[in-house]
Every structure is written in C-alpha cells, then in structure tokens.
Amino acid sequence: MNILVCIKRVPDIAGSVTLDATGTGIDESGLGHTMSSHEECAVELAIQTAAQAGGTVTVLTLGPAEAVEQLRAAVAVGANDGILVEAADPSVFAPEDIAQVIGDVIRDRAEAGQTFDLVLTGDDAADTGDFQVGIRLAYDLGYPVLTNIQTISVGGAAGGGGERGSGRIEARGIGPVGTEIFSLDLPAVVAVHEGGVDPRYPSITGRMKAKKAQVVEYDAPVPGMGSPRLRLELPEVKASSVTILGEGPEAAPALVDVLEEIGVIRP
Amino acid sequence: MTMVFVETDPAGEVTLTSAEAITFARKNPQLLPDGGAATSREVSGPPSGSTEGVVIGPLSDAAVESLGRLGVGVIHHLDHPDLAEYSAAAWAQAIVDVAPESGTLLASGTPRGMELMAHAAVRTGARMAANVIAADAEGLLRQVHGGTAFERLRLDGDLQVLTIAGHACTPEETTPITPEVYAYDLTVAEADLTTRVQRTEVEAADDASGLTSARAVVGAGRGVGSENGFAEVLELVDHLGGALGVSRVVTGLGWRPHAEQVGQTGSRISPDVYIACGISGAIQHMAGIEGAKTLVAINTDEESTMVQRADYAIIGDLHEVVGAVNEEIVRRRG
Ligand SMILES: Cc1cc2nc3c(=O)[nH]c(=O)nc-3n(C[C@H](O)[C@H](O)[C@H](O)COP(=O)(O)OP(=O)(O)OC[C@H]3O[C@@H](n4cnc5c(N)ncnc54)[C@H](O)[C@@H]3O)c2cc1C
Ligand SMILES: Nc1ncnc2c1ncn2[C@@H]1O[C@H](COP(=O)(O)O)[C@@H](O)[C@H]1O
C-alpha cells in the first residue's frame, strides 16, 4: 500500500506575532518552521500503516524552496521520499488552488508510474485553518474522504463489494458522542486529527537518510482562484487586570470565596 | 437568505455551539445579500429575513421551540433511513438539496460543522471560510494561526459557506416565533454512503461532551508533574461537579486522553469558571478557553501568560494550593 501524506510548512508560533510590511502575512523572520501538528500524526500513521500492509510513504508539500526541510523531517522519521511543489509565495493560493495543484501532481505521478492507494492530510493547517484542502482534493480525485480520523488499520470487515480494488482500511475518528468507526475501500483521502498516535523522533540513521532523500520537484502554476485574503489584523492586547489572591496554600480561602460567589461548589 | 446547519444532542436539544451560530446569523443581517428577503424555493411565506435552520434526523418539539426562541422562522427537516447513521457526503448532499442558491450557508465550527460545510462548499461550487468571528460591510473576519491573528477576507460568488468559531458569539434568544417546519422526500445516493459510520463507541466522548458543557472546568498542565499528579485537581473537579481539561503537553506525554484536551486542536469550552493549574497559557491553549466567563490561574510563575490573562490568580505550587482549596471546601461544608 503506497501512501501520500500532504504536509504544509508553517511558522512555529508560541506567543504573540507581528505583521509583515505588506500587512497580509505575519512576520516570520524571527520564527522557526514546522509542519502542522495534525500532519505529524498523519506522517506517523502513514509509517505504521505502510509497515503493516507493506508499501511506501511519500510526503508532498506545496511551499517555498525551504519547505524541503519539512519533507526531510518526515523522511528522517521514516517516510521514503518527497515531492516539492515549489511556490515562492504559497499564501496567494486558495484552498481550491492547493487541492487542484496536488490533484494534478498526483495524476502526473501516476503517469510516471508512481500511484498512491491512500492520501493523508491534516484536518486543517496550523496557519490558515481552512479545513478544506483534504476534502477538495478528494472531490478532485473522485475519491471518498473521511476527516477527524485518529487511527487507521489495514483490512477490516469486507463490504461494499470492494471492486475498487486497492485494499480496505478501518479508520477511527472523533464523533460528537464517541469514537466513530469507518470502513472503506481504497483509494481514498483521509484527513487526520492529532491525538491517536505519538509522532516518533528521528533516529541518527533517519537523519542521515533524510539528507540523501529523493525529492521530485515541480513548479506550482499561477493560482487560478487566488486567496480571498484582504489583510491580516492582530487582536488588541488587553492590559492585565488580574487580582492576585495571594501566595501558596494560605490563599485557598480567598479562591473558595470566589468559587462560592460564582456558585459552582457542589453543596 | 442565511441558512444554518443545526446540530442536536442525543437528547434532541439544539447544541450550545449551534445556538451560537444561529445567533451569529441573526445578528449579521448583512450576510443576507438580498437585504433579507426570503429567496428559497419551495418555502413560501416565512417571516421576511428570518434565519432558516436545517436539522438532520429526529426533530424534537423541544428543538423546534428552542429554534423559535433563537429566531429561526423556517426549519428544513431532513429525515431518511439512510441518514440515520452519519455519512458526511450524504448529509452534505441533503443540506445542499435545500440550501439557497444565493446567500449564506453556515454551521458552527465543530468537527461535524467543519466537515459538512466543506463538502457542501465543493458540491455547490461555493467558497468557504472557516472559524469566522465577525462580519461587516467589508467582509468577514476569521481566526488564523490558532487565534494569534485575524484574517479579513471577502468571498465572492452568490453563495458563501462559513463556519463560526466556537464561542465567538454568545447565544441570545429573541421574541419567540413559531417556526414553519418543512419535511422533504429525499433520495440518498448509494455512492454517498461509502463513508457512513459503521459503529460508535460511546465511552471516551462522554468525557469530551461533559467538558464542553460543564459550568466549571479545572485545567491541568505540565505543572502537574507526572501521570500520578492529578489527585488534587480531580478532587477539585469532583467538588465542583465539573470536568477536567488538560493542555497538549499532558495528552502528548500520555498522562491523560486526547478527549480531555482543551485548545486549538482540542475542545473549545465556555464554562462559568476555568481554573488553570500549571498551564503556561500558550496561544493554542488560550484559543480553547476564550469563552470562559471567569479565568483563575494557579501557577508558580507570576509572569506566565495564564496569570497575566486571568481574572484571579494564586502564585504557588498547584499541589499545595489545590490541596488547600479542597480542604477549605470540605471544611466549609462542615
Ligand atoms: C498547531 C499547534 C496546536 C496546538 N494545540 C494545542 C491545544 O489544543 N491545546 C494546548 O493546550 N496546547 C496546544 N498546543 C501546544 C502549546 O503551544 C503549548 O505547548 C502547550 O499548551 C503548553 O502546555 P502547558 O502549559 O501544560 O506546559 P508549559 O508551557 O510547559 O507550562 C507549564 C506551566 O506550569 C507551571 N508550573 C510548573 N510547575 C508548577 C507547579 N508545581 N505548580 C504550579 N505551576 C507550575 C509553569 O510555571 C508553567 O507556566 C499546540 C501547539 C501547536 C503548534
Ligand atoms: N501547501 C500545502 N502543501 C501540502 N499540503 C497542504 C498544503 N496546504 C494544506 N495542505 C494539507 O491540507 C490539510 C488541510 O489544510 P487547510 O485546508 O489549509 O486547513 C493540511 O493539514 C495539509 O495536510
């Protein structure tokens, strides 16, 4: 089973941010970069699933040349190779555009003899949080799609005829009243939510492998749709208005007063 | 026309986040490009400019009444044996079948709401904006970068599809109306059922749903120290009849399940009080607690974001402080 994982290079934000000169993006100069956390779990799931079923894991990103770092980070933990779709400024792409470009690359790879039975994405990217690329990609490819998935296992109860012929997976995800279990024929797109697996750390040999990893390169076309963004704004920073009730256990009665006032202590 | 996908809970009531989304729709009439006139097809005579709701599955009298109090004039009730088990594709198509050709289709930013709106956007050829917090003449404002920044945007096209960020808006009732309920004879395509839920295991999510509806939530972060460090906070949860919420460090270390995580990639909560113990206040955590009415921090570091953003704080070791709070509660009970 060959798996493609779509990952996005995003700034690693811990505190507040500032805007860049154009006002349409955040100033990334002082920030490190990473892949979104849902995608780290998607990479881990892909590695485990490929190990279980036999097959390869390829990672793909549409991003600037530097996004090759995120591809190499995925190879360092066990992915086999990468695809870089280079776009100097990915922020001008709409989710529609990204899905379309990834769909085109997947079709092009198929012509080159590289096919994928399962395509994984994150639920939403840590920066834009559009919650669309995986779903739009699935429609573009004509594949079924699940979102909010935390774990995947190969096989599962037969059903649906299985005539699509690329295998079958069972997927478990987050529903409003409990864990929901799905079973579906491949090929398919699955959007992953963090929390079902622990992303592993790279080993020394993994890091060595990552340096030499094969990365196929494409140039992203000019986006057809374009991002609907006008500009970014920052939330106003409110001055602290904290009341310090005290230090250590002596302050406990003051807090119990507050909780009584709010009326949340069980009689 | 603005149409809201309404989620109901297992008891048949309208969920809190759906009530928020309906209130958002009602309070933002500029989302109605045609000035509020009802343009929907088979529906005749709904109160002009009123919000319309879509409910899939059983529709209880309680839900109809709640929707009337929230100002929903028309309810599109979609019920079909093939929709009894959730399938995103089938549910989205059912929504698309009754959705307006122009105007706004929206849902709250829950996992269901996000997924269904994205499917509906593709199926109608519309553009979509997730995590919207405001709308005005210029367009929409939505959260990006986990809430550190807001994006101003305009969606073009006759129909726009949105999800409303959890707790961006407080539910508000209005002069009650009696909604008109429309039922439909639906057809569900076989192809849309391949992604149907096979079965549901209820256990884990009981915690999660308790978390989003609890009036008091005790938060626990890395400061708890270890997997065995939860005794005091759990006792406090019990005294408050509340729920435990944790930071991602805690779930990442495997101390507690992901269903208890609060924040950008966990639950968004809106309790009357949130007591954050040993949580630093990273932006991704704060994104989940913006709806808390009173914020209390218990932390060794007075300079931490959580303390600075809190209404009340105690500086000190959380085990000692929470232990003393528990003792005080027991003492006052007598
Ligand atoms: C894309 C993305 C999504 C994320 N989503 C989430 C999310 O949904 N939820 C989430 O929580 N995080 C999320 N994070 C992680 C987030 O950035 C922080 O790393 C995390 O919230 C920190 O958890 P913490 O506060 O428990 O730990 P720390 O930041 O390590 O803070 C520990 C705090 O405990 C205090 N402390 C230590 N010992 C004691 C003691 N004995 N008594 C009292 N106080 C003590 C310290 O002073 C400190 O303030 C996300 C990150 C990314 C990049
Ligand atoms: N530029 C990109 N390159 C590769 N994958 C992407 C890109 N943008 C989004 N994705 C994938 O689509 C998911 C959802 O993204 P979004 O719809 O932007 O929130 C992400 O978690 C990624 O897996």
Side-chain angles (χ1 to χ4, degrees):
Chain A
M1 180 186 297
N2 296 336
I3 305 174
L4 179 71
V5 191
C6 300
I7 62 178
K8 186 176 189 185
R9 175 183 171 89
V10 293
D12 196 355
I13 297 174
S16 55
V17 296
T18 53
L19 298 186
D20 66 14
T22 67
T24 57
I26 63 168
D27 180 5
E28 298 188 11
S29 54
L31 301 173
H33 288 83
T34 177
M35 72 180 87
S36 308
S37 50
H38 297 316
E39 296 150 32
E40 283 178 358
C41 291
V43 168
E44 178 61 32
L45 272 176
I47 294 165
Q48 291 182 12
T49 307
Q52 196 192 344
T56 59
V57 176
T58 301
V59 282
L60 176 152
T61 190
L62 182 154
E66 297 80 25
V68 78
E69 289 167 21
Q70 279 61 50
L71 296 177
R72 293 198 192 284
V75 173
V77 292
N80 298 82
D81 55 3
I83 301 172
L84 173 66
V85 187
E86 200 178 324
D89 182 7
S91 74
V92 299
F93 287 71
E96 290 91 332
D97 297 320
I98 298 172
Q100 170 80 56
V101 172
I102 297 176
D104 287 343
V105 168
I106 289 175
R107 284 181 283 270
D108 193 74
R109 295 315 301 157
E111 268 174 35
Q114 187 178 25
T115 56
F116 303 105
D117 308 292
L118 177 62
V119 179
L120 299 184
T121 69
D123 263 347
D124 51 354
D127 56 352
T128 53
D130 284 311
F131 210 101
Q132 291 170 53
V133 168
I135 291 172
R136 290 189 183 274
L137 173 62
Y139 280 86
D140 180 73
L141 295 169
Y143 294 175
V145 56
L146 299 174
T147 70
N148 294 303
I149 295 302
Q150 293 193 299
T151 61
I152 290 172
S153 54
V154 180
E163 67 282 354
R164 307 184 59 220
S166 195
R168 195 168 176 82
I169 55 165
E170 185 175 276
R172 300 168 66 90
I174 312 163
V177 299
T179 301
E180 293 178 334
I181 294 111
F182 302 87
S183 177
L184 87 161
D185 291 331
L186 302 179
V189 176
V190 172
V192 173
H193 196 97
E194 71 164 3
V197 285
D198 292 327
R200 68 189 73 184
Y201 293 102
S203 62
I204 308 245
T205 47
R207 281 185 221 274
M208 303 287 289
K209 220 178 89 200
K211 285 194 191 131
K212 292 176 284 185
Q214 191 199 330
V215 175
V216 179
E217 292 187 18
Y218 288 84
D219 281 324
V222 177
M225 187 76 99
S227 164
R229 175 175 298 183
L230 301 172
R231 61 177 184 275
L232 287 190
E233 295 175 9
L234 295 179
E236 56 177 302
V237 217
K238 290 180 219 105
S240 176
S241 58
V242 63
T243 303
I244 305 284
L245 297 171
E247 284 188 24
E250 290 75 51
L255 177 53
V256 177
D257 290 345
V258 170
L259 297 176
E260 278 181 348
E261 175 94 358
I262 301 171
V264 286
I265 299 181
R266 273 214 308 216
Chain B
M1 196 262 289
T2 303
M3 182 178 280
V4 184
F5 167 67
V6 178
E7 290 182 69
T8 53
D9 65 20
E13 251 302 355
V14 175
T15 61
L16 174 68
T17 46
S18 283
E20 293 169 356
I22 294 164
T23 307
F24 183 92
R26 202 179 74 224
K27 293 205 157 176
N28 288 282
Q30 69 282 8
L31 290 176
L32 313 163
D34 52 15
T39 58
S40 70
R41 316 83 359 230
E42 296 153 50
V43 178
S44 58
S48 166
S50 79
T51 307
E52 300 190 4
V54 188
V55 176
I56 299 182
L59 176 66
S60 69
D61 293 345
V64 174
E65 222 173 277
S66 302
L67 290 172
R69 283 198 302 272
L70 289 162
V72 174
V74 173
I75 301 170
H76 302 272
H77 181 210
L78 308 176
D79 207 4
H80 188 284
D82 284 342
L83 299 178
E85 299 297 338
Y86 178 71
S87 166
W91 280 38
Q93 185 56 47
I95 295 170
V96 167
D97 285 344
V98 299
E101 266 161 29
S102 70
T104 304
L105 173 65
L106 63 87
S108 63
T110 58
R112 283 272 197 275
M114 290 284 204
E115 178 172 59
L116 289 171
M117 291 303 102
H119 277 267
V122 188
R123 285 169 185 252
T124 54
R127 304 194 79 170
M128 165 172 161
N131 298 315
V132 172
I133 53 169
D136 60 22
E138 204 188 343
L140 303 164
L141 196 65
R142 70 182 196 98
Q143 293 176 339
V144 292
H145 291 289
T148 13
F150 301 141
E151 177 181 59
R152 273 258 167 223
L153 73 158
R154 270 200 89 84
L155 297 182
D156 38 50
D158 292 334
L159 179 70
Q160 59 176 350
V161 178
L162 320 180
T163 66
I164 309 304
H167 311 310
C169 174
T170 313
E172 260 176 52
E173 299 190 343
T174 176
T175 324
I177 44 180
T178 308
E180 294 172 34
V181 180
Y182 291 83
Y184 296 84
D185 204 8
L186 296 167
T187 43
V188 178
E190 197 57 39
D192 286 339
L193 295 173
T194 55
T195 51
R196 185 161 40 173
V197 172
Q198 302 291 310
R199 60 179 202 281
T200 305
E201 289 170 10
V202 174
E203 205 199 333
D206 265 349
D207 309 336
S209 51
L211 181 58
T212 49
S213 61
R215 284 190 60 216
V217 176
V218 182
R222 191 201 303 269
V224 162
S226 79
E227 198 172 350
N228 306 318
F230 287 82
E232 295 91 354
V233 290
L234 284 171
E235 185 184 334
L236 182 56
V237 165
D238 192 46
H239 288 314
L240 303 179
L244 178 69
V246 301
S247 75
R248 197 175 75 172
V249 167
V250 167
T251 56
L253 290 167
W255 295 350
R256 302 291 303 185
H258 183 268
E260 292 175 356
Q261 183 174 315
V262 168
Q264 183 189 348
T265 50
S267 295
R268 286 167 185 250
I269 60 173
S270 59
D272 289 343
V273 60
Y274 181 63
I275 308 169
C277 308
I279 301 179
S280 62
I283 184 76
Q284 295 90 353
H285 189 82
M286 301 312 281
I289 61 172
E290 261 149 34
K293 284 169 204 71
T294 301
L295 180 57
V296 178
I298 300 173
N299 202 300
T300 43
D301 178 8
E302 182 163 359
E303 296 307 315
S304 65
T305 310
M306 189 61 86
V307 170
Q308 293 304 312
R309 288 276 307 271
D311 299 302
Y312 301 97
I314 297 179
I315 309 307
D317 175 74
L318 72 94
H319 298 287
E320 291 177 17
V321 174
V322 178
V325 169
N326 291 331
E327 276 171 32
E328 179 68 12
I329 290 174
V330 171
R331 196 186 61 76
R332 291 192 193 183
R333 236 180 234 147

